[in-house]
């Protein structure tokens, strides 16, 4: 189904300003900070946000329970329940942003795509871009949305688990792209999580997410295409990994912007692979 409003999974601050009063546009703040950060994303959202923005907590709330791994993709049932609580309808156009420009919002874009929601985009440049444009802010306690009955339709092609990925590492039609820094990929910098080995998967290629961005905005499509063309053929299956499944989604969104179609995120990412000794590390 083609989008009513979206021509791209990436929108500008001006596009959002022009469409924000449409009753079928829902804005989500998906800010998240690395463990150890002094910042509290929920508190910051409470204090100021894009008008009408609802907070999407993929770290604590809209995540699989009962797992030692951080913010794993929830079941379609849990996702449906929480998205209903946020007052989102299946026909809504969802626009996601984060307070760092381009960091955690693509994770939520990917979650919606994995749950069958096509009308979802990320705000290029995030909350800083909105503020830089001098657009209106909402401050103080946010309004509670009216509950809906959202029903997710899980799309398994968007996500892969460790065992399936391990079986596909030698597949010539598949390329694994790792969004972590080159130092972590090559094992010259330690992993931030305790008990996690350094290095990378056999046959994986390094594509640090920072190489796709400039000051919180995506590079233009031509530059993004060059980054992917250097590492893969357009028809190959791309599997994206990172530290814990967040910045891998920046790669997935960038690949979608270049027109690539066979895109999958390894949800457990290095937090899982590096910890479990049954998976090979180079």
């Amino acid at each position: 189904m083609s989008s009513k409003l979206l021509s791209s999974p990436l929108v500008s601050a001006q596009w959002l300003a022009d469409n924000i009063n449409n009753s079928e546009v829902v804005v989500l703040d998906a800010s998240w900070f690395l463990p150890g950060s002094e910042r509290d994303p929920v508190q910051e959202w409470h204090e100021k946000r894009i008008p009408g923005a609802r907070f999407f907590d993929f770290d604590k709330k809209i995540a699989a329970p009962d797992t030692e791994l951080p913010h794993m993709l929830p079941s379609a049932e849990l996702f449906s329940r929480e998205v209903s609580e946020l007052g989102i309808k299946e026909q809504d156009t969802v626009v996601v942003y984060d307070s760092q420009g381009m960091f955690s919002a693509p994770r939520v874009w990917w979650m919606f795509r994995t749950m069958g929601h096509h009308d979802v985009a990320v705000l290029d440049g995030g909350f800083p871009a909105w503020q830089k444009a001098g657009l209106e802010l909402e401050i103080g306690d946010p309004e509670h949305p009216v509950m809906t009955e959202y029903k997710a339709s899980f799309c398994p092609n968007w996500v892969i688990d460790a065992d399936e990925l391990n079986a596909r590492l030698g597949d010539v039609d598949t390329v694994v792209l790792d969004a972590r820094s080159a130092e972590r990929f090559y094992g010259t910098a330690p992993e931030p999580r305790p008990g996690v080995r350094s290095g990378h998967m056999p046959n994986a290629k390094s594509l640090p997410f920072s190489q796709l961005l400039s000051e919180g905005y995506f590079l233009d499509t031509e530059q993004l295409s060059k980054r992917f063309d250097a590492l893969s053929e357009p028809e190959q299956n791309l599997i994206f990994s990172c530290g814990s499944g967040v910045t891998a989604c920046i790669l997935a969104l960038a690949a979608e912007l270049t027109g690539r179609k066979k895109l999958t995120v390894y949800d457990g990412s290095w937090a899982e692979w590096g910890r479990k000794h049954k998976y090979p590390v180079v």
Side-chain angles (χ1 to χ4, degrees), residues 75-86 147-148 150 152:
S75 66
E77 292 74 25
L78 191 155
F79 186 89
S80 298
R81 189 168 68 243
E82 293 292 346
V83 168
S84 297
E85 289 270 356
L86 287 169
M147 193 168 170
T148 55
Y150 187 95

Side-chain angles (χ1 to χ4, degrees), residues 120-179:
V120 57
V122 171
L123 175 60
D124 199 18
F127 196 42
W130 182 268
Q131 292 179 285
K132 191 176 174 184
L135 294 162
E136 184 185 353
L137 297 176
E138 186 174 86
I139 55 176
D141 289 341
E143 284 186 25
H144 199 73
V146 178
M147 193 168 170
T148 55
E149 278 194 39
Y150 187 95
K151 187 161 175 50
S153 303
F154 180 63
C155 301
N157 56 300
W158 275 97
V159 63
I160 192 168
D161 66 22
D163 289 337
E164 188 186 348
L165 174 53
N166 193 33
R168 288 175 62 182
L169 284 179
D171 179 3
V172 294
D173 293 325
T174 298
V175 177
V176 177
L177 296 176
D178 191 320

Side-chain angles (χ1 to χ4, degrees), residues 267-280:
D267 195 22
S269 281
W270 204 252
E272 177 180 41
W273 194 277
R275 179 187 294 170
K276 297 194 175 176
H277 285 263
K278 70 175 184 173
Y279 300 122

Side-chain angles (χ1 to χ4, degrees), residues 100-232:
Q100 298 185 69
M102 190 62 66
F103 183 61
S104 51
R107 169 77 187 184
V108 174
W109 166 82
W110 168 77
M111 290 174 73
F112 272 93
R113 292 299 299 271
T114 305
M115 295 298 173
H117 196 110
H118 294 279
D119 282 346
V120 57
V122 171
L123 175 60
D124 199 18
F127 196 42
W130 182 268
Q131 292 179 285
K132 191 176 174 184
L135 294 162
E136 184 185 353
L137 297 176
E138 186 174 86
I139 55 176
D141 289 341
E143 284 186 25
H144 199 73
V146 178
M147 193 168 170
T148 55
E149 278 194 39
Y150 187 95
K151 187 161 175 50
S153 303
F154 180 63
C155 301
N157 56 300
W158 275 97
V159 63
I160 192 168
D161 66 22
D163 289 337
E164 188 186 348
L165 174 53
N166 193 33
R168 288 175 62 182
L169 284 179
D171 179 3
V172 294
D173 293 325
T174 298
V175 177
V176 177
L177 296 176
D178 191 320
R180 294 174 301 154
S181 69
E183 292 80 11
R184 286 173 66 188
F185 180 87
Y186 291 110
T188 60
E191 283 299 307
R193 290 179 173 84
V196 175
R197 295 171 291 168
S198 296
H200 59 268
M201 298 168 208
N203 300 326
K205 296 180 180 181
S206 175
L207 182 57
F209 74 90
S210 58
Q211 292 186 6
L212 306 177
L213 305 174
S214 176
E215 297 180 351
Y217 297 84
F218 272 109
L219 302 178
D220 64 46
T221 309
E222 189 180 343
Q223 289 176 290
L224 292 176
S225 292
K226 285 179 181 173
R227 296 281 196 275
F228 286 102
D229 289 345
L231 299 169
S232 63

Side-chain angles (χ1 to χ4, degrees), residues 16-25 51 136:
L16 182 54
D18 292 342
N19 289 278
I20 200 164
N21 293 321
N22 185 318
S23 62
E24 292 195 342
V25 171
E136 184 185 353

Side-chain angles (χ1 to χ4, degrees), residues 6-68:
L6 297 174
S7 59
S8 166
L10 194 65
V11 299
S12 67
Q14 190 56 57
W15 183 95
L16 182 54
D18 292 342
N19 289 278
I20 200 164
N21 293 321
N22 185 318
S23 62
E24 292 195 342
V25 171
V26 175
V27 182
L28 298 177
D29 182 335
S31 299
W32 174 75
F33 304 110
L34 290 167
S37 169
E38 302 283 302
R39 297 173 67 178
D40 179 344
V42 179
Q43 184 184 345
E44 290 187 15
W45 165 73
H46 261 277
E47 288 168 359
K48 63 178 179 181
R49 59 198 164 272
I50 292 175
R54 303 157 201 186
F55 191 78
F56 192 100
D57 186 352
F58 69 84
D59 187 46
K60 301 276 192 298
K61 206 170 181 199
I62 311 175
D66 308 321
T67 168
E68 60 185 7

